[in-house]
Amino acid sequence: MKIAIIGQGYVGLTISAFASKHHDVIGFDNNTITVENLNAGKSHIEGVDSSEIKRAIDFGSFRATSNGADLSDAEIVVIAVPTPLTKDRKPDLTFIESACKSIGENLNNSALIINESTSFPGTVRNYIKPLVEKYSKQPLNHLYAISPERVDPGRVDWDQKNTPRLYAGLTPEASAKTREFYSTFCDNLIEVSSPEVAEAAKLFENTFRQVNIALVNEFAQISHALGISIHETLDAANTKPYGFMKFNPSSGVGGHCIPVDPTYLAFVASQKGVPATFIERANEVNLEMPKYIVSRVQSDNGGSLKGKKVQVIGVAYKPNVADTRETPAELVIEELVNRGAEVTWHDPVVKTWQGSNSTDLGGSDIAIVVTLHEVMNTSEVTASAPYVFDTTGKLSGVQGL
Ligand SMILES: NC(=O)c1ccc[n+]([C@@H]2O[C@H](COP(=O)([O-])OP(=O)(O)OC[C@H]3O[C@@H](n4cnc5c(N)ncnc54)[C@H](O)[C@@H]3O)[C@@H](O)[C@H]2O)c1
């Protein structure tokens, strides 16, 4: 089949890599540098090896493009563009709209249009379908479906093949074609009764994580006040074989999903006049963690951080990826700077971030470990400063959550 995938980021490129083993794939992205690199066989995403891209290009089953005309004869179009929040924390569907414009203006035949971007229930039915129709130059009978993406970049045990995939079409024909497409590279497909159920399930999955992370972050503060180890307590609770799932405390949540998706759910809840109090409070607790951590560091260091050299170790939002979107490290650094500290950062995976470079490990009075990548040597990190505060729970013999 001829597949066009709109957006070649974490989600779109991952799908391109899997789909191009079975189909002819056009990877459409409006970032021309991404397109150039991909056509040169260079992947920019953890979990998608450059060799996979090269092989698909050499085999003739993958090509990246910024030219909308290349979408014209696609049989299936997958949308994988960002769905962030606006400045006033409302769903921002402008990327979805521009993807729909490219699809509408360029498709010359009827196709199946599948959304993989995360959004609120009703997005496929009330936004994507009307927008594609609005921009189409000719009346075409497209089919529409949703299959929310569950990829966890950098993860190797759960991938596109073995992670169960939800899907639903606006019509039975759209559902059947969606199943046919994904079954070429995914082993476990689960049809739900409407696109809205699939869209809501995706939001609830990430809300579940956001709320539980906030809960354990609050518990970290309670445990410290009680003078008990949170990690030993969590391990003890985790011996219960049912009804408990262990989450670890941290400096907060980052990435494109957990800090964002629950707010999409809160948005539709507020439109329906239903309170989303757990989501709002969980957001607050997670956003307050950097302040809590810096306050702990300050009180352990004579009550003032003025003039102290502090190195923040690990600025990616999670281990083993270079993704710094919504990273809590940013808030930790902001809080340290506000209290007069001289801050540097070290991250061998990220290397450059916000116009500055990763510094060599060490040379500071205080180190705060936000993210511990596998390439970091834990003994070196532990010995990198006279005082080390670990937010990851992975270092022993230092202060921390
Ligand atoms: N990253 C994840 O782990 C993950 C997991 C599950 C779901 N999602 C969801 O998938 C969607 C995509 O996320 P991502 O992490 O892949 O984003 P990303 O930022 O990594 O990639 C998006 C790509 O889309 C391109 N783009 C933006 N607008 C475009 C347009 N109109 N036409 C063509 N290309 C366009 C960008 O240049 C970029 O390369 C979001 O809705 C996100 O919430 C992400």
Side-chain angles (χ1 to χ4, degrees):
M1 285 186 271
K2 284 187 179 165
I3 316 293
I5 298 176
I6 315 288
Q8 291 294 289
Y10 283 92
V11 168
L13 189 60
T14 307
I15 296 295
S16 292
F18 273 82
S20 60
K21 289 177 187 156
H22 309 273
H23 309 282
D24 286 340
V25 175
I26 292 285
F28 178 78
D29 202 294
N30 53 12
N31 183 328
T32 51
I33 297 169
T34 299
V35 167
E36 260 172 47
N37 283 333
L38 290 176
N39 284 331
K42 280 187 225 149
S43 166
H44 58 115
I45 296 300
E46 295 86 8
V48 179
D49 210 70
S50 292
S51 62
E52 285 184 68
I53 301 297
K54 239 189 201 125
R55 206 177 309 125
I57 291 173
D58 292 346
F59 190 63
S61 62
F62 177 72
R63 183 165 65 86
T65 183
S66 292
N67 182 2
D70 290 334
L71 305 175
S72 62
D73 59 349
E75 295 162 82
I76 294 179
V77 182
V78 177
I79 302 175
V81 295
T83 44
L85 296 173
T86 57
K87 278 206 176 79
D88 56 350
R89 296 191 63 78
K90 298 256 162 47
D92 178 357
L93 296 191
T94 50
F95 297 95
I96 293 259
E97 168 147 18
S98 75
C100 292
K101 189 166 186 276
S102 301
I103 297 167
E105 286 178 348
N106 292 292
L107 260 185
N108 284 334
N109 48 260
S110 297
L112 167 64
I113 296 164
I114 306 170
N115 182 36
E116 285 212 17
S117 302
T118 308
S119 186
F120 48 77
T123 299
V124 168
R125 194 185 301 275
N126 304 325
Y127 285 80
I128 292 179
K129 181 174 185 285
L131 282 169
V132 172
E133 287 169 355
K134 174 179 145 187
Y135 290 112
S136 294
K137 286 177 263 171
Q138 47 187 321
L140 293 165
N141 281 327
H142 297 310
L143 299 171
Y144 295 88
I146 168 81
S147 184
E149 185 51 58
R150 287 171 159 168
V151 66
D152 186 4
R155 187 161 196 146
V156 288
D157 50 349
W158 292 103
D159 61 15
Q160 292 294 327
K161 190 163 162 54
N162 63 359
T163 305
R165 180 175 275 281
L166 300 177
Y167 72 97
L170 279 184
T171 60
E173 193 188 354
S175 296
K177 282 212 158 163
T178 303
R179 185 177 190 92
E180 191 191 342
F181 168 56
Y182 286 111
S183 61
T184 57
F185 59 91
C186 177
D187 291 342
N188 192 351
L189 294 162
I190 301 146
E191 183 177 354
V192 293
S193 64
S194 70
E196 286 74 15
V197 170
E199 289 164 328
K202 170 70 194 178
L203 292 185
F204 191 68
E205 286 163 24
N206 282 351
T207 301
F208 172 84
R209 285 187 62 73
Q210 178 230 22
V211 169
N212 278 287
I213 290 167
L215 180 63
V216 80
N217 279 338
E218 190 168 79
F219 187 51
Q221 300 175 43
I222 297 169
S223 303
H224 178 70
L226 292 173
I228 54 174
S229 157
I230 179 156
H231 297 290
E232 187 186 353
T233 311
L234 291 174
D235 286 343
N238 203 29
T239 58
K240 185 178 176 183
Y242 53 88
F244 184 78
M245 185 180 279
K246 187 179 165 194
F247 284 79
N248 292 310
S250 62
S251 51
V253 291
H256 192 26
C257 296
I258 312 292
V260 174
D261 300 351
T263 305
Y264 272 64
L265 191 54
F267 173 77
V268 279
S270 80
Q271 280 191 326
K272 296 283 176 198
V274 182
T277 45
F278 273 99
I279 294 175
E280 279 151 24
R281 184 62 195 132
N283 258 338
E284 285 165 8
V285 171
N286 288 329
L287 287 168
E288 283 159 6
M289 279 312 279
K291 199 170 189 174
Y292 169 74
I293 287 161
V294 174
S295 297
R296 287 265 308 268
V297 171
Q298 180 169 312
S299 80
D300 286 353
N301 284 275
S304 171
L305 292 172
K306 218 173 186 132
K308 295 256 167 56
K309 287 187 181 153
V310 183
Q311 186 169 52
V312 171
I313 299 176
V315 297
Y317 84 89
K318 68 172 184 174
N320 310 323
V321 299
D323 195 346
T324 53
R325 289 178 294 182
E326 313 274 335
T327 175
E330 189 170 348
L331 296 178
V332 171
I333 291 174
E334 201 176 288
E335 196 60 37
L336 288 165
V337 170
N338 287 345
R339 297 179 193 216
E342 289 172 26
V343 187
T344 56
W345 60 272
H346 168 79
D347 192 317
V349 177
V350 174
K351 295 191 182 97
T352 52
W353 175 55
Q354 295 189 331
S356 67
N357 293 328
S358 170
T359 52
D360 290 342
L361 187 66
S364 62
D365 307 311
I366 294 166
I368 302 179
V369 185
V370 170
T371 301
L372 201 59
H373 299 295
E374 270 167 25
V375 293
M376 291 171 168
N377 179 316
T378 49
S379 321
E380 285 175 10
V381 171
T382 305
S384 66
Y387 171 93
V388 176
F389 188 94
D390 176 32
T391 70
T392 71
K394 289 181 187 146
L395 300 179
S396 47
V398 296
Q399 293 300 313
L401 291 176

